[in-house]
């Protein structure tokens, strides 16, 4: 049976691996923020391949589920995913333009709803909700007024920021986990010596 120090070392390595992955994601996010056009195209091609692979897996799953009432629904959903994946891979610029327009409209509608909701409800978070609504509306207008040129950098910027913040989160989990493991193993080691 492995002792607490052996398990602690394994956990330390695992948390160290998480922190290392976090560092790689942070680097990828920073590079993506510098080269937002490349990050946009990369995210579109990655999105297309995910749709395509997900559609193929869904189709295989639907074939395995022949005879069930959901067979045709599975086939239709898989076919739509495959078709969407092929379109995204073949036309990443057009897809980026469409998704950027969609994002701008989401920011606009979310901003308007937050603004109106904060004024009508006037809850305890009135100021923050009003600020969020104004920021969402402004961001939506900025993206929309610069469209389709904004499609070259908006999605890449979002993708890179997601990588950056996910990486920072993994670094925090890795470092925090290692500290907790070292505290626990330090507490357990004297007790083991007494036994």
């Amino acid at each position: 049976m492995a002792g607490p120090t052996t398990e602690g070392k394994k956990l330390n390595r695992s948390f160290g691996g998480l922190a290392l992955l976090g560092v790689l994601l942070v680097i990828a996010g920073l590079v993506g923020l510098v080269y937002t056009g490349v990050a946009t195209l990369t995210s579109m091609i990655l999105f297309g391949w995910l749709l395509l692979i997900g559609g193929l897996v869904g189709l295989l799953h639907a074939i395995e589920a022949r005879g069930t009432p959901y067979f045709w629904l599975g086939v239709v959903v898989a076919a739509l995913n495959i078709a969407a994946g092929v379109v995204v891979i073949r036309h990443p610029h057009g897809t980026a333009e469409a998704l950027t327009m969609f994002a701008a409209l989401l920011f606009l509608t979310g901003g308007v709803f937050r603004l109106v909701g904060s004024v009508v409800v006037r809850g305890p978070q009135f100021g923050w909700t009003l600020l969020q609504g104004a920021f969402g509306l402004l961001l939506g207008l900025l993206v929309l007024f610069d469209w389709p040129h904004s499609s070259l950098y908006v999605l890449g910027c979002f993708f890179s920021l997601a990588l950056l913040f996910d990486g920072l989160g993994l670094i925090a989990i890795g470092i925090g986990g290692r500290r907790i493991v070292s505290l626990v193993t330090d507490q357990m080691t004297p007790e083991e010596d007494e036994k």
Side-chain angles (χ1 to χ4, degrees):
M1 183 173 164
T5 54
T6 307
E7 292 298 320
K9 288 178 182 176
K10 286 181 185 176
L11 281 172
N12 263 337
R13 279 195 301 272
S14 297
F15 282 118
L18 277 179
L20 179 63
L21 179 61
V23 168
L24 293 175
L25 288 177
V26 166
I27 291 169
L30 291 173
V31 169
L33 286 173
V34 173
Y35 301 104
T36 53
V38 173
T40 297
L41 286 179
T42 303
S43 64
M44 289 298 95
I45 291 170
L46 179 63
F47 179 55
W49 278 106
L50 287 174
L51 282 171
L52 185 63
I53 293 168
L56 292 172
V57 170
L59 186 60
L60 290 174
H61 186 265
I63 290 170
E64 287 179 357
R66 279 183 308 241
T68 64
Y70 304 106
F71 168 72
W72 286 110
L73 177 63
V75 170
V76 169
V77 170
L80 288 174
N81 279 336
I82 291 170
V86 169
V87 168
V88 171
I89 291 169
R90 292 192 57 174
H91 306 286
H93 291 287
T95 305
E97 288 178 5
L99 288 177
T100 302
M101 174 64 80
F102 182 69
L105 294 176
L106 279 179
F107 286 130
L108 282 172
T109 55
V112 167
F113 277 111
R114 280 197 178 97
L115 281 173
V116 171
S118 66
V119 171
V120 170
V121 175
R122 290 200 180 260
Q125 301 294 325
F126 169 73
W128 285 113
T129 308
L130 191 68
L131 184 65
Q132 279 182 321
F135 184 73
L137 186 65
L138 178 65
L139 189 58
L141 288 172
L142 287 173
V143 171
L144 194 60
F145 288 150
D146 195 30
W147 189 85
H149 182 260
S150 60
S151 65
L152 297 175
Y153 59 86
V154 167
L155 297 176
C157 184
F158 290 163
F159 181 66
S160 300
L161 286 172
L163 287 177
L164 179 66
F165 287 116
D166 284 348
L168 290 173
L170 286 177
I171 291 171
I173 290 170
I175 291 172
R178 286 178 68 111
R179 285 184 184 159
I180 290 171
V181 168
S182 67
L183 286 173
V184 170
T185 53
D186 289 346
Q187 292 284 329
M188 292 180 78
T189 304
E191 294 173 8
E192 293 295 318
D193 291 339
E194 290 172 8
K195 292 178 183 177

Coordinates of all heavy atoms in Angstrom, one line a residue, residues 134-182:
A134 N -24.5 49.1 -20.4 CA -23.9 50.1 -21.2 C -22.7 49.6 -21.9 O -22.4 49.8 -23.1 CB -23.6 51.3 -20.4
F135 N -21.9 48.8 -21.2 CA -20.7 48.2 -21.8 C -21.1 47.2 -22.9 O -20.4 47.2 -24.0 CB -19.9 47.5 -20.7 CG -18.6 46.9 -21.2 CD1 -17.5 47.7 -21.5 CD2 -18.4 45.5 -21.4 CE1 -16.3 47.2 -22.0 CE2 -17.3 45.0 -21.9 CZ -16.2 45.9 -22.2
G136 N -22.1 46.4 -22.7 CA -22.5 45.4 -23.7 C -23.0 46.1 -25.0 O -22.7 45.7 -26.1
L137 N -23.8 47.2 -24.8 CA -24.3 48.0 -25.9 C -23.2 48.6 -26.6 O -23.2 48.6 -27.9 CB -25.3 49.0 -25.3 CG -26.1 49.8 -26.4 CD1 -27.0 48.9 -27.2 CD2 -26.9 50.9 -25.7
L138 N -22.3 49.2 -25.9 CA -21.1 49.9 -26.6 C -20.3 48.9 -27.4 O -19.9 49.1 -28.5 CB -20.3 50.6 -25.6 CG -19.0 51.3 -26.1 CD1 -19.4 52.4 -27.0 CD2 -18.2 51.8 -24.9
L139 N -20.0 47.7 -26.8 CA -19.2 46.7 -27.4 C -19.9 46.2 -28.7 O -19.3 46.0 -29.7 CB -19.0 45.5 -26.5 CG -18.0 44.5 -26.9 CD1 -16.6 45.1 -27.2 CD2 -17.8 43.4 -25.8
G140 N -21.2 45.9 -28.6 CA -22.0 45.5 -29.7 C -22.0 46.5 -30.9 O -21.8 46.2 -32.0
L141 N -22.1 47.8 -30.5 CA -22.1 48.8 -31.5 C -20.7 48.9 -32.2 O -20.6 49.1 -33.4 CB -22.5 50.2 -30.9 CG -24.0 50.3 -30.6 CD1 -24.2 51.6 -29.8 CD2 -24.9 50.2 -31.8
L142 N -19.7 48.9 -31.4 CA -18.3 48.9 -31.9 C -18.0 47.8 -32.9 O -17.5 48.0 -34.0 CB -17.3 48.9 -30.8 CG -17.1 50.2 -30.0 CD1 -16.2 49.9 -28.8 CD2 -16.7 51.3 -30.8
V143 N -18.4 46.6 -32.5 CA -18.2 45.4 -33.4 C -19.1 45.6 -34.7 O -18.6 45.3 -35.8 CB -18.5 44.1 -32.7 CG1 -18.5 42.9 -33.6 CG2 -17.5 43.9 -31.6
L144 N -20.3 46.0 -34.5 CA -21.2 46.1 -35.6 C -20.8 47.2 -36.6 O -20.9 47.0 -37.8 CB -22.7 46.4 -35.1 CG -23.8 46.2 -36.1 CD1 -23.8 44.8 -36.6 CD2 -25.1 46.6 -35.4
F145 N -20.4 48.3 -36.1 CA -20.0 49.4 -37.0 C -18.8 49.1 -37.8 O -18.5 49.7 -38.9 CB -19.8 50.7 -36.2 CG -21.1 51.3 -35.8 CD1 -21.2 52.1 -34.6 CD2 -22.3 51.2 -36.5 CE1 -22.3 52.6 -34.1 CE2 -23.5 51.7 -36.0 CZ -23.5 52.5 -34.8
D146 N -17.9 48.3 -37.3 CA -16.7 47.9 -38.0 C -16.8 46.6 -38.8 O -15.9 46.1 -39.3 CB -15.5 47.8 -37.0 CG -14.2 47.8 -37.7 OD1 -14.0 48.5 -38.7 OD2 -13.2 47.2 -37.1
W147 N -18.0 46.0 -38.8 CA -18.2 44.8 -39.5 C -18.2 45.0 -41.0 O -18.7 46.0 -41.4 CB -19.6 44.2 -39.1 CG -19.8 42.8 -39.6 CD1 -19.4 41.7 -39.0 CD2 -20.5 42.4 -40.7 NE1 -19.8 40.6 -39.7 CE2 -20.5 41.0 -40.8 CE3 -21.2 43.1 -41.7 CZ2 -21.1 40.3 -41.8 CZ3 -21.8 42.4 -42.8 CH2 -21.8 41.0 -42.8
P148 N -17.7 44.2 -41.8 CA -17.1 42.8 -41.6 C -15.6 42.8 -41.3 O -15.1 41.8 -41.0 CB -17.3 42.2 -43.0 CG -17.2 43.3 -44.0 CD -17.8 44.5 -43.3
H149 N -15.0 44.0 -41.2 CA -13.6 44.1 -40.9 C -13.4 43.5 -39.4 O -12.3 42.9 -39.2 CB -13.0 45.5 -41.0 CG -11.6 45.6 -40.7 ND1 -11.1 46.0 -39.5 CD2 -10.5 45.3 -41.4 CE1 -9.8 46.0 -39.5 NE2 -9.4 45.5 -40.6
S150 N -14.3 43.8 -38.5 CA -14.2 43.3 -37.2 C -14.1 41.8 -37.1 O -13.6 41.3 -36.1 CB -15.3 43.9 -36.3 OG -16.5 43.4 -36.8
S151 N -14.6 41.1 -38.1 CA -14.6 39.7 -38.0 C -13.2 39.1 -38.1 O -13.0 37.9 -37.8 CB -15.5 39.1 -39.1 OG -14.9 39.4 -40.4
L152 N -12.2 39.9 -38.5 CA -10.8 39.5 -38.6 C -10.2 39.4 -37.2 O -9.2 38.6 -37.1 CB -10.0 40.4 -39.5 CG -10.4 40.5 -41.0 CD1 -9.6 41.6 -41.7 CD2 -10.3 39.2 -41.6
Y153 N -10.7 40.1 -36.3 CA -10.0 40.1 -35.0 C -10.9 39.8 -33.8 O -10.4 39.4 -32.7 CB -9.3 41.4 -34.7 CG -10.2 42.6 -34.8 CD1 -10.9 43.1 -33.6 CD2 -10.4 43.4 -35.9 CE1 -11.7 44.2 -33.7 CE2 -11.2 44.5 -36.0 CZ -11.9 44.9 -34.8 OH -12.7 46.0 -34.9
V154 N -12.2 40.0 -33.9 CA -13.1 39.8 -32.7 C -13.1 38.4 -32.2 O -12.8 38.2 -31.0 CB -14.5 40.3 -33.0 CG1 -15.5 39.9 -31.9 CG2 -14.6 41.8 -33.2
L155 N -13.3 37.4 -33.0 CA -13.4 36.0 -32.5 C -12.0 35.6 -32.1 O -11.9 34.8 -31.1 CB -13.9 35.1 -33.6 CG -15.4 35.4 -34.0 CD1 -15.8 34.5 -35.2 CD2 -16.3 35.3 -32.9
G156 N -11.0 36.0 -32.8 CA -9.6 35.6 -32.3 C -9.3 36.2 -31.0 O -8.6 35.5 -30.2
C157 N -9.7 37.4 -30.8 CA -9.5 38.1 -29.5 C -10.3 37.3 -28.4 O -9.7 37.0 -27.3 CB -10.0 39.5 -29.6 SG -9.6 40.5 -28.1
F158 N -11.5 37.0 -28.6 CA -12.3 36.2 -27.6 C -11.7 34.8 -27.4 O -11.6 34.4 -26.2 CB -13.7 36.0 -28.1 CG -14.6 37.3 -28.1 CD1 -15.7 37.3 -28.8 CD2 -14.2 38.4 -27.4 CE1 -16.5 38.5 -28.8 CE2 -14.9 39.6 -27.4 CZ -16.1 39.6 -28.1
F159 N -11.3 34.2 -28.4 CA -10.7 32.8 -28.3 C -9.4 32.9 -27.5 O -9.1 32.1 -26.6 CB -10.4 32.3 -29.7 CG -9.8 30.9 -29.8 CD1 -10.5 29.8 -29.3 CD2 -8.5 30.7 -30.3 CE1 -9.9 28.5 -29.4 CE2 -7.9 29.5 -30.3 CZ -8.6 28.4 -29.9
S160 N -8.6 33.9 -27.8 CA -7.3 34.1 -27.1 C -7.5 34.5 -25.6 O -6.8 34.0 -24.7 CB -6.5 35.2 -27.8 OG -6.2 34.8 -29.1
L161 N -8.5 35.3 -25.4 CA -8.8 35.7 -24.0 C -9.3 34.5 -23.2 O -8.9 34.3 -22.0 CB -9.8 36.8 -23.9 CG -9.3 38.2 -24.3 CD1 -10.5 39.2 -24.4 CD2 -8.3 38.7 -23.3
A162 N -10.1 33.6 -23.8 CA -10.5 32.4 -23.2 C -9.4 31.5 -22.9 O -9.3 30.9 -21.7 CB -11.5 31.7 -24.1
L163 N -8.4 31.3 -23.8 CA -7.2 30.5 -23.5 C -6.4 31.2 -22.4 O -6.0 30.4 -21.5 CB -6.3 30.5 -24.8 CG -6.8 29.6 -25.9 CD1 -5.8 29.7 -27.1 CD2 -6.9 28.1 -25.5
L164 N -6.3 32.5 -22.4 CA -5.5 33.2 -21.4 C -6.1 32.9 -20.0 O -5.4 32.5 -19.0 CB -5.4 34.6 -21.7 CG -4.7 35.5 -20.7 CD1 -3.2 35.2 -20.7 CD2 -4.8 37.0 -21.1
F165 N -7.4 33.2 -19.8 CA -8.0 33.0 -18.5 C -8.1 31.6 -18.1 O -8.0 31.3 -16.9 CB -9.4 33.7 -18.5 CG -9.2 35.2 -18.5 CD1 -9.7 36.0 -19.5 CD2 -8.6 35.9 -17.4 CE1 -9.6 37.4 -19.6 CE2 -8.5 37.3 -17.4 CZ -9.0 38.0 -18.5
D166 N -8.4 30.7 -19.0 CA -8.4 29.2 -18.7 C -7.0 28.8 -18.2 O -6.8 28.1 -17.2 CB -8.8 28.4 -19.9 CG -10.3 28.4 -20.1 OD1 -11.0 28.9 -19.3 OD2 -10.7 27.9 -21.2
G167 N -6.0 29.3 -18.8 CA -4.6 29.0 -18.4 C -4.3 29.6 -17.1 O -3.7 28.9 -16.2
L168 N -4.7 30.8 -16.8 CA -4.5 31.4 -15.5 C -5.2 30.6 -14.4 O -4.7 30.4 -13.3 CB -4.9 32.9 -15.5 CG -4.1 33.8 -16.3 CD1 -4.7 35.2 -16.3 CD2 -2.7 33.9 -15.7
G169 N -6.4 30.2 -14.7 CA -7.2 29.3 -13.8 C -6.4 28.0 -13.5 O -6.4 27.6 -12.3
L170 N -5.9 27.4 -14.5 CA -5.2 26.1 -14.3 C -3.9 26.3 -13.5 O -3.6 25.5 -12.7 CB -4.9 25.5 -15.7 CG -6.0 24.8 -16.4 CD1 -5.6 24.3 -17.7 CD2 -6.6 23.7 -15.5
I171 N -3.2 27.4 -13.8 CA -2.0 27.7 -13.0 C -2.4 27.9 -11.5 O -1.7 27.4 -10.6 CB -1.3 29.0 -13.5 CG1 -0.7 28.7 -14.9 CG2 -0.3 29.5 -12.5 CD1 -0.2 30.0 -15.6
A172 N -3.5 28.6 -11.2 CA -3.9 28.8 -9.9 C -4.3 27.5 -9.2 O -4.0 27.3 -8.0 CB -5.1 29.8 -9.8
I173 N -5.0 26.7 -9.9 CA -5.4 25.3 -9.4 C -4.1 24.5 -9.1 O -4.0 23.9 -8.1 CB -6.4 24.6 -10.3 CG1 -7.7 25.3 -10.4 CG2 -6.5 23.2 -9.9 CD1 -8.6 24.8 -11.4
G174 N -3.2 24.5 -10.1 CA -2.0 23.7 -9.9 C -1.2 24.2 -8.7 O -0.7 23.4 -7.9
I175 N -1.0 25.5 -8.6 CA -0.1 26.0 -7.5 C -0.9 25.8 -6.2 O -0.3 25.4 -5.2 CB 0.2 27.5 -7.7 CG1 1.2 27.6 -8.9 CG2 0.8 28.1 -6.5 CD1 1.4 29.0 -9.4
G176 N -2.2 26.1 -6.1 CA -2.9 25.9 -4.9 C -3.0 24.5 -4.5 O -2.9 24.1 -3.3
G177 N -3.2 23.6 -5.5 CA -3.2 22.1 -5.2 C -1.9 21.6 -4.6 O -1.9 20.9 -3.7
R178 N -0.8 22.1 -5.2 CA 0.5 21.7 -4.7 C 0.7 22.2 -3.2 O 1.2 21.5 -2.4 CB 1.6 22.2 -5.6 CG 1.7 21.4 -6.9 CD 2.8 22.0 -7.7 NE 4.1 21.8 -7.2 CZ 5.0 21.0 -7.6 NH1 4.7 20.3 -8.8 NH2 6.1 20.8 -7.1
R179 N 0.2 23.4 -2.9 CA 0.4 23.9 -1.6 C -0.5 23.1 -0.6 O 0.0 22.8 0.5 CB -0.1 25.4 -1.5 CG 0.9 26.3 -2.1 CD 0.5 27.7 -1.9 NE 1.5 28.6 -2.6 CZ 1.2 29.8 -3.0 NH1 0.0 30.4 -2.8 NH2 2.1 30.6 -3.6
I180 N -1.7 22.8 -1.0 CA -2.6 22.0 -0.1 C -2.0 20.6 0.1 O -2.0 20.1 1.3 CB -4.0 21.9 -0.7 CG1 -4.7 23.2 -0.6 CG2 -4.8 20.8 0.0 CD1 -6.0 23.3 -1.4
V181 N -1.5 20.0 -0.9 CA -0.9 18.6 -0.8 C 0.3 18.7 0.1 O 0.5 17.8 1.0 CB -0.5 18.1 -2.2 CG1 0.4 16.8 -2.0 CG2 -1.7 17.7 -3.0
S182 N 1.2 19.7 0.0 CA 2.3 19.8 0.9 C 1.9 20.1 2.3 O 2.6 19.5 3.2 CB 3.3 20.9 0.4 OG 2.7 22.2 0.5

